[in-house]
Amino acid sequence: MESFFSFILYPVSAILWFWHKVFGAVLGPDNGFAWALSVFFLVFSLRVVLLKPAISQLRAGRKMAKFAPQIQKLREKYKGDRQRMAQEMQKLQSEHGVNPLGGCLPALLQIPVFLSLFHVLRNFTPTAQSNFVFDRAGVESFVNANIFGAKLSNWITQPADQLALFGTDRTSMMIVGIPLMLIASVATFFTMRLSVKKQTDAAMANPQSAMMAKFMMYIAPVGAIISGWFLPIAVLLYWLANNVWTLGQQHFLTKKIDREQEREKAKEIEAKKSAPRPKPGQKPVRPEAKAADGESEAEPAAATAGGQQATKSSSNGQRPAGKKNQPKNRPGKQAASKKGKKRR
């Protein structure tokens, strides 16, 4: 464990050491609340670093929700060909500028941090001479610290002899641990509920997704209560701080992204209003039609010029070339010839 997570064990313990120096200077180095606040601000420091990936995650989720109907169509179209469906899904995501791994990044980064903190807290034992950046004095300070008689490095289901070695008992551990579990569970429930509430109708149209979201909304708080019996009090503090931060961050970032989408919609509406529109009763002209009209205008112009030339030549007393040798039809002469034939 130490060799695998050594690149993050020392930074995590260093952040915890820094905040203990800050709050220990005010409340006392062996004060349990100074250590509890150190754990809280360790979480807050790490979550501030992960704030930008969290914003990217939320934006990616909103983009995914926009083309959720297209994803559903691809699933139905390539139901029997998973490879082709994966290719089309990847193509659709690249067209919309969505990275599927971006939504998992904040959660994946918290896993090694949680494991590292758990390992650091487990190494605070009465016989330990050091614990990463903490020296012997830092280890003794943590071991001696307590909150209402509960030691921070112990857990409720720990054997009684080990609890006695740290100077505490199961009753004291339950008095502090159970309220922490309940508060963490409630914070988890409201965090999951807000996440489900903010999902769009298109994202919840899939019955499996909707069922899984509701299932996790109720199972995650239960998991917080069950696992709390086997986690040190300091880890419960970490979990509580993390869930409270997540609830507040989700509420804040959701409003931020909602305002961004409202501004984008307002810009689209303004662009549509400012776009040139055809007059009432006039059909919109396409660029191809304009080019065709330019060619067709040349033909009527040539025909008009020819007609004007023919009219001009007839006005000057000249006959058209095709009618030069044709005899003139005079109605008066034809009538006289008919009368002469009748008299004969």
Side-chain angles (χ1 to χ4, degrees):
M1 175 71 179
E2 291 186 16
S3 59
F4 185 75
F5 287 105
S6 59
F7 70 97
I8 195 171
L9 284 168
Y10 282 94
V12 168
S13 59
I15 297 172
L16 182 63
W17 176 88
F18 169 77
W19 286 115
H20 175 253
K21 288 295 183 182
V22 173
F23 294 107
V26 178
L27 302 175
D30 297 340
N31 189 287
F33 290 99
W35 279 103
L37 289 173
S38 301
V39 174
F40 268 69
F41 277 80
L42 166 65
V43 176
F44 298 160
S45 301
L46 296 173
R47 294 303 298 270
V48 168
V49 175
L50 298 175
L51 190 60
K52 187 174 181 180
I55 296 175
S56 301
Q57 174 190 7
L58 190 57
R59 286 173 177 165
R62 294 294 181 90
K63 288 183 179 180
M64 289 283 289
K66 286 183 179 180
F67 58 90
Q70 301 179 29
I71 294 177
Q72 187 63 26
K73 290 180 180 179
L74 290 177
R75 288 175 178 173
E76 295 176 357
K77 185 177 180 180
Y78 303 104
K79 189 175 182 180
D81 191 353
R82 293 186 177 182
Q83 185 177 0
R84 181 65 185 279
M85 182 176 67
Q87 293 176 355
E88 295 295 329
M89 291 272 289
Q90 186 176 4
K91 182 180 179 182
L92 183 64
Q93 290 168 355
S94 61
E95 289 177 355
H96 289 79
V98 176
N99 185 6
L101 296 178
C104 305
L105 183 61
L108 292 176
L109 291 177
Q110 292 184 51
I111 293 175
V113 173
F114 176 80
L115 295 176
S116 301
L117 177 63
F118 182 79
H119 188 69
V120 170
L121 296 177
R122 288 290 298 270
N123 284 348
F124 282 113
T125 60
T127 58
Q129 297 299 317
S130 63
N131 188 11
F132 299 100
V133 300
F134 290 95
D135 55 7
R136 176 61 186 172
V139 172
E140 291 180 350
S141 175
F142 187 88
V143 171
N144 295 328
N146 67 85
I147 299 177
F148 302 115
K151 298 295 184 176
L152 300 181
S153 58
N154 297 96
W155 54 95
I156 298 175
T157 57
Q158 197 171 6
D161 56 343
Q162 294 185 13
L163 293 175
L165 182 63
F166 281 85
T168 185
D169 53 29
R170 200 177 310 280
T171 303
S172 300
M173 296 295 296
M174 292 176 67
I175 291 174
V176 176
I178 291 176
L180 289 177
M181 287 187 291
L182 294 176
I183 297 173
S185 177
V186 172
T188 303
F189 173 77
F190 281 105
T191 301
M192 299 295 294
R193 183 183 179 185
L194 181 61
S195 177
V196 172
K197 184 179 179 181
K198 290 298 180 181
Q199 289 183 355
T200 60
D201 296 335
M204 297 297 290
N206 190 351
Q208 295 180 352
S209 300
M211 183 179 64
M212 183 59 66
K214 291 182 180 179
F215 176 77
M216 290 301 299
M217 185 175 65
Y218 292 101
I219 201 64
V222 175
I225 295 176
I226 294 175
S227 60
W229 292 84
F230 308 95
L231 295 176
I233 296 296
V235 176
L236 290 178
L237 291 171
Y238 169 87
W239 202 336
L240 173 62
N242 189 64
N243 288 335
V244 171
W245 177 278
T246 302
L247 181 61
Q249 174 182 285
Q250 197 169 10
H251 182 74
F252 171 77
L253 293 184
T254 300
K255 287 189 174 181
K256 175 181 173 62
I257 300 300
D258 288 341
R259 288 193 295 267
E260 290 181 358
Q261 289 186 339
E262 289 177 359
R263 287 194 293 267
E264 290 178 0
K265 289 181 180 179
K267 288 181 180 179
E268 292 177 359
I269 294 173
E270 188 65 25
K272 290 180 180 180
K273 289 182 179 180
S274 60
R277 296 182 178 181
K279 296 180 181 180
Q282 180 182 2
K283 295 183 179 179
V285 181
R286 297 179 180 178
E288 297 84 358
K290 288 183 179 180
D293 292 343
E295 295 177 358
S296 61
E297 284 176 359
E299 296 178 359
T304 305
Q308 290 177 354
Q309 185 176 1
T311 306
K312 185 176 180 181
S313 59
S314 61
S315 61
N316 292 333
Q318 297 177 359
R319 296 179 180 177
K323 298 181 180 180
K324 183 175 181 181
N325 298 325
Q326 292 180 0
K328 294 181 179 180
N329 294 327
R330 296 181 180 178
K333 290 186 176 182
Q334 289 179 358
S337 62
K338 288 180 180 181
K339 288 180 180 179
K341 289 179 181 181
K342 288 180 180 181
R343 288 176 182 178
R344 292 177 184 176

